[in-house]
């Protein structure tokens, strides 16, 4: 399935996106491409569920100026009941890049005792548990046949943004399950590499050889970057956006990823965005790394306009709000660093260039001014017809003049 209406899926026309796909996008979000894919998959899974079917994404990518998904459809009425486990909502801070993806529902096993003590379990010691508590803890990781509504950021202890105190924007629903089947992706990579070693033709046994693919290099690079993504982490942070919020130069990508891995978290890139930080680390850890870097490399202070120094908002006569860019940066940097052991110097082995698979990731556009062209309009068509008619009249006039001269 290919969707070329990225203006709607990307958030430029949210009312159109909701009318077509039943989900709200976000404007000017750093994870625009992946959110578009997840909204599309959510819409497809809902339509399949109406007919007692489920979908399994095989490959979901953003290509050029459109998004394309390959899915398998199964007759699975029992799987339709589990559809809510693969859907969720997105809560995005209005003043920084902090976001939360919460599930639509959950079927985790929770006893009545655990449910009643869910708000106070942070104060209970984990040592000297008796046999009953151990039994309850083992049940907690087990799936139940009771489906409960999901919880929002309030259940995570953040009714507002934990960094800036701003409110959240709500987007979705969206697909929170995996985007790719890694087995099929790795098989496709091995086929392309086998074809490259055989002059561009896959060595088929007993069958006629396939013609070489002109885009084999670009396709191989895209699939390699897809295979390196974290399959269980929806959406990502954009590193330049994180640094811009505190007015800091962009942190080197390898250095930032090394700090996350050294802190005990996983991190990867995204096949459409080379500066993406897709990680299972909480927002607080991500911002702690930014704060630790700014502590070693102090950023320059933001310049304030004359209106702001007078207590007025920039570009208007209204009073200045508490969420101007300088105030947001000061709030983020003023918080204490809670994450221990942030290490920028030790580069893990998986981030070294020699350890990565050689591939042409994030290929450039094939030609200049690449993208969707301007749609044809009636005015342009009429003008072209008039020009064609004038050309025909000029040709006929020249023929008549030549006949007169010959006569």
């Amino acid at each position: 399935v290919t969707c070329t209406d990225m203006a709607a899926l990307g958030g430029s026309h949210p009312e159109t996106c909701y009318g077509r796909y039943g989900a709200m996008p976000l404007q000017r979000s750093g994870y625009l491409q992946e959110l578009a894919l997840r909204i599309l998959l959510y819409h497809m899974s809902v339509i399949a569920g109406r007919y007692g079917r489920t979908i399994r994404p095989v490959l979901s990518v953003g290509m050029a100026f459109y998004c394309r998904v390959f899915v398998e459809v199964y007759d699975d009425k029992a799987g339709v009941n589990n559809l809510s486990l693969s859907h969720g909502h997105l809560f995005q801070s209005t003043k920084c890049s902090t976001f939360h993806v919460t599930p639509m529902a959950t079927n985790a096993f929770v006893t009545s005792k655990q449910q009643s003590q869910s708000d106070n379990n942070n104060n209970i010691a984990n040592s000297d548990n008796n046999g009953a508590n151990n039994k309850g803890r083992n049940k907690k990781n087990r799936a139940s046949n009771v489906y409960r509504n999901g919880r929002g950021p309030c259940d995570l202890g953040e009714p507002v943004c934990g960094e800036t105190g701003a409110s959240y924007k709500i987007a979705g629903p969206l697909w929170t399950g995996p985007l790719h089947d890694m087995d099929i992706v790795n098989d496709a990579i091995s086929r392309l590499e086998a074809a490259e070693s055989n002059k561009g033709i896959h060595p088929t046994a007993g069958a006629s050889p396939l013609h070489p693919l002109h885009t084999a290099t670009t396709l191989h690079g895209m699939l390699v970057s897809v295979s390196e993504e974290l399959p269980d982490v929806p959406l990502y942070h954009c590193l330049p956006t994180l640094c811009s919020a505190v007015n800091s130069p962009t942190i080197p990508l390898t250095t930032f990823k090394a700090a996350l891995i050294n802190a005990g978290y996983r991190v990867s890139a995204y096949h459409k965005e080379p500066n993406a930080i897709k990680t299972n680390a909480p927002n607080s850890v991500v911002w702690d790394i930014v704060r630790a870097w700014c502590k070693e490399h102090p950023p320059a202070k933001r310049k304030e306009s004359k209106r702001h120094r007078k207590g007025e908002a920039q570009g208007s006569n209204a009073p200045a709000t508490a969420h101007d860019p300088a105030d947001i940066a000061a709030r983020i940097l003023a918080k204490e660093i809670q994450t221990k052991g942030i290490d920028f110097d030790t580069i893990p082995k998986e981030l070294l260039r020699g350890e990565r698979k050689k591939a042409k990731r994030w290929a450039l556009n094939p030609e200049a001014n690449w993208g969707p062209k301007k749609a044809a309009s009636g005015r342009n068509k009429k003008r072209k017809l008039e020009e064609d008619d004038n050309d025909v009249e000029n040709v006929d006039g020249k023929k008549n003049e030549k006949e007169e001269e010959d006569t």
Side-chain angles (χ1 to χ4, degrees), residues 121-387:
N121 57 3
N122 292 330
N123 299 325
I124 299 175
N126 293 325
S127 60
D128 296 332
N129 290 329
N130 53 25
N133 288 336
N134 291 332
K135 184 177 180 181
R137 188 171 66 247
N138 293 333
K139 286 184 177 180
K140 188 175 181 180
N141 297 327
R142 212 172 64 193
S144 171
N145 58 354
V146 177
Y147 291 77
R148 297 178 293 110
N149 295 72
R151 303 292 189 267
C154 294
D155 191 62
L156 302 175
E158 290 190 8
V160 294
C161 176
E163 303 299 327
T164 62
S167 58
Y168 290 110
K169 294 185 290 186
I170 303 177
L174 67 154
W175 176 267
T176 58
L179 296 178
H180 322 287
D181 186 338
M182 291 303 178
D183 293 334
I184 296 179
V185 171
N186 292 327
D187 182 63
I189 293 173
S190 62
R191 287 172 179 265
L192 287 172
E193 292 175 350
E196 183 181 3
S197 61
N198 194 38
K199 297 181 180 180
I201 301 176
H202 189 271
T204 54
S208 58
L210 300 176
H211 293 286
L213 293 174
H214 296 289
T215 59
T217 303
T218 304
L219 183 60
H220 176 262
M222 185 190 67
L223 291 177
V224 168
S225 59
V226 164
S227 67
E228 295 171 348
E229 293 179 11
L230 295 179
D232 56 343
V233 178
L235 305 184
Y236 54 85
H237 296 276
C238 194
L239 186 56
T241 305
L242 288 170
C243 298
S244 176
V246 294
N247 200 32
S248 169
T250 302
I251 304 172
L253 187 63
T254 303
T255 304
F256 196 92
K257 289 183 177 181
L260 284 170
I261 295 175
N262 294 332
Y265 298 97
R266 296 176 296 144
V267 63
S268 73
Y270 183 68
H271 68 271
K272 187 65 177 177
E273 176 55 57
N275 292 318
I277 300 294
K278 183 184 280 286
T279 177
N280 63 336
N283 293 298
S284 58
V285 175
V286 174
W287 284 113
D288 279 348
I289 294 176
V290 175
R291 280 186 281 266
W293 177 266
C294 292
K295 193 174 182 180
E296 298 180 3
H297 308 80
K301 293 184 178 180
R302 290 185 182 272
K303 294 182 179 180
E304 297 179 350
S305 65
K306 294 181 179 179
R307 283 182 174 270
H308 179 71
R309 286 196 293 267
K310 292 179 181 179
E312 298 177 356
Q314 300 182 22
S316 69
N317 294 325
T321 62
H323 294 300
D324 61 278
D327 182 68
I328 292 171
R331 283 192 176 208
I332 294 175
L333 295 178
K335 294 193 65 176
E336 295 183 1
I337 300 175
Q338 302 293 334
T339 305
K340 298 180 180 180
I342 297 178
D343 182 11
F344 294 107
D345 299 328
T346 305
I347 306 299
K349 183 179 179 180
E350 57 265 28
L351 295 180
L352 298 177
R353 287 187 175 272
E355 300 296 329
R356 300 176 64 192
K357 182 185 287 290
K358 292 184 179 180
K360 190 177 181 180
R361 300 172 177 83
W362 306 293
L364 299 176
N365 293 331
E367 61 183 22
N369 302 320
W370 178 255
K373 305 301 180 183
K374 186 177 180 181
S377 62
R379 180 183 299 177
N380 295 336
K381 186 176 181 181
K382 184 178 180 180
R383 184 184 302 170
K384 187 176 180 180
L385 291 175
E386 291 176 353
E387 292 176 355

Side-chain angles (χ1 to χ4, degrees), residues 396-407:
D396 293 340
K398 291 181 180 179
K399 286 183 178 179
N400 295 334
E401 292 178 358
K402 187 175 181 180
E403 290 177 356
E404 291 177 357
E405 291 176 357
D406 293 342
T407 302

Side-chain angles (χ1 to χ4, degrees), residues 90-146:
L90 170 63
F91 295 84
Q92 170 66 56
S93 173
T94 56
K95 298 300 178 182
C96 69
S97 57
T98 299
F99 67 88
H100 298 280
V101 178
T102 61
M104 187 79 71
T106 178
N107 65 340
F109 189 93
V110 179
T111 63
S112 58
K113 183 178 180 180
Q114 291 170 340
Q115 183 69 24
S116 62
Q117 296 179 352
S118 59
D119 296 334
N120 300 323
N121 57 3
N122 292 330
N123 299 325
I124 299 175
N126 293 325
S127 60
D128 296 332
N129 290 329
N130 53 25
N133 288 336
N134 291 332
K135 184 177 180 181
R137 188 171 66 247
N138 293 333
K139 286 184 177 180
K140 188 175 181 180
N141 297 327
R142 212 172 64 193
S144 171
N145 58 354
V146 177

